[in-house]
Amino acid sequence: MNIFREVITRLLLLLALLFSLTLVTSSMRQSTLTAKEIIEKAENRVRGKTSVSEVEIQIVRPTWTRTMKTKAWTQGDSLSMILITAPAKDNGTVFLKRNKEVWNWIPSIERVIKLPPSMMTQSWMGTDFTNDDLVKESSMADDYTQVIDGDSVIDGHKCWKIELTPLASAAVIWGKVNLWIDQDDFLELRAEFIDEDNNLVNVMKASDIRLLGGILLPAKMEMIPVTKPGQKTVLTYSTLTFNQPIAADFFTVENIKNVK
């Protein structure tokens, strides 16, 4: 029995040592990442060849709340289609993104409208997101310089805080952006959007981390304008599927009226 206990004790010690070495190796590997590499890993985590999702959008205001439901299709980061399925008055409205251009199908007037660049900073469907957020015309990895600004903890997750400053040549609307990215799973858990006068404008919070499309991701995102008490927009994923085949002619202006 003594020999048996000794063998078990040595095995447990060996397993503990191996586990510690794994943690140290992982920590050393992650500590060598640059801020840009961290952001790219976070962005790549939510990208597949394609994705199909259903998202509920809640627009919260001090005296009222409105809920929309959407279905969205994406291919890479240059093609996307968003269909509004509720409420009834917006049902059938479609937004098509191709690269940096956006078209809007409005069934009530049976017209397709191409959004001009001047509308990119305007609210999307009355939410606290802009048309630029929809298009994602600016890239956190390519249009900003990135610096790791220490560690922080968000909802129990150890995160890198990354400060982003726009390049002089970049056509972006923010003077600075701060990101908090989880150090274990590269989840973007918080973002702060700061204007050119160094005033905090919006805060984005991500939560409800669970498996979506087989990947651990935040299912809930809140965009909160800090100077407008009682106001926010909440996005909640109902379903998300990656790498589902989508027809080559799906993301076209000709098809925008047929999306269901």
Side-chain angles (χ1 to χ4, degrees):
M1 291 295 292
N2 289 337
I3 294 176
F4 178 75
R5 281 198 298 270
E6 186 176 346
V7 170
I8 294 298
T9 300
R10 289 183 178 181
L11 279 173
L12 290 173
L13 288 171
L14 179 60
L15 288 172
L17 177 60
L18 289 173
F19 180 69
S20 298
L21 287 172
T22 300
L23 290 177
V24 170
T25 302
S26 175
S27 176
M28 290 177 63
R29 183 174 65 251
Q30 292 190 4
S31 67
T32 63
L33 294 173
T34 66
K36 183 174 183 177
E37 288 170 338
I38 292 168
I39 291 172
E40 288 173 341
K41 281 181 174 289
E43 290 180 344
N44 290 336
R45 188 176 184 83
V46 296
R47 286 181 189 153
K49 292 181 180 179
T50 67
S51 74
V52 181
S53 61
E54 293 179 336
V55 181
E56 181 178 280
I57 302 174
Q58 190 178 52
I59 305 168
V60 180
R61 298 296 181 260
T63 59
W64 56 268
T65 299
R66 183 164 72 94
T67 300
M68 292 192 299
K69 292 186 177 180
T70 68
K71 186 172 182 180
W73 298 259
T74 70
Q75 183 172 304
D77 58 2
S78 60
L79 298 172
S80 67
M81 190 87 79
I82 300 175
L83 167 68
I84 311 298
T85 59
K89 70 182 184 67
D90 296 317
N91 182 33
T93 301
V94 180
F95 291 86
L96 166 66
K97 170 202 165 185
R98 291 183 59 86
N99 298 311
K100 295 185 178 181
E101 297 180 324
V102 177
W103 286 264
N104 178 202
W105 163 247
I106 306 173
S108 60
I109 60 175
E110 297 188 345
R111 287 187 60 190
V112 176
I113 299 172
K114 184 178 180 181
L115 273 62
S118 60
M119 290 185 65
M120 287 301 101
T121 58
Q122 295 184 15
S123 168
W124 179 75
M125 292 296 291
T127 70
D128 295 298
F129 292 89
T130 66
N131 290 312
D132 184 70
D133 293 324
L134 175 68
V135 176
K136 294 184 179 177
E137 185 171 1
S138 58
S139 166
M140 296 294 185
D142 298 330
D143 293 328
Y144 294 81
T145 58
Q146 309 89 7
V147 177
I148 297 176
D149 188 28
D151 295 338
S152 186
V153 176
I154 304 290
D155 295 331
H157 298 267
K158 188 176 181 181
C159 299
W160 291 285
K161 179 186 176 184
I162 299 177
E163 183 178 289
L164 299 98
T165 305
L167 299 172
S169 59
V172 299
I173 63 175
W174 301 114
K176 186 170 68 174
V177 178
N178 293 324
L179 293 180
W180 282 261
I181 297 177
D182 170 58
Q183 295 186 12
D184 291 325
D185 298 302
F186 296 93
L187 306 173
E188 186 179 315
L189 298 181
R190 181 183 174 92
E192 293 179 347
F193 301 92
I194 299 164
D195 66 18
E196 293 180 347
D197 296 321
N198 205 35
N199 297 312
L200 178 62
V201 178
N202 291 332
V203 173
M204 190 280 293
K205 298 179 180 180
S207 59
D208 189 14
I209 297 170
R210 50 189 164 94
L211 285 176
L212 289 168
I215 300 173
L216 198 65
L217 293 170
K220 180 179 178 181
M221 287 177 286
E222 299 175 81
M223 184 66 82
I224 305 168
V226 297
T227 61
K228 299 176 181 178
Q231 179 168 325
K232 64 180 177 179
T233 299
V234 183
L235 276 64
T236 306
Y237 280 87
S238 303
T239 63
L240 176 59
T241 304
F242 289 110
N243 302 322
Q244 176 177 301
I246 299 177
D249 61 351
F250 182 81
F251 298 98
T252 60
V253 177
E254 292 74 21
N255 188 48
I256 195 172
K257 305 175 186 179
N258 305 319
V259 178
K260 296 180 180 179

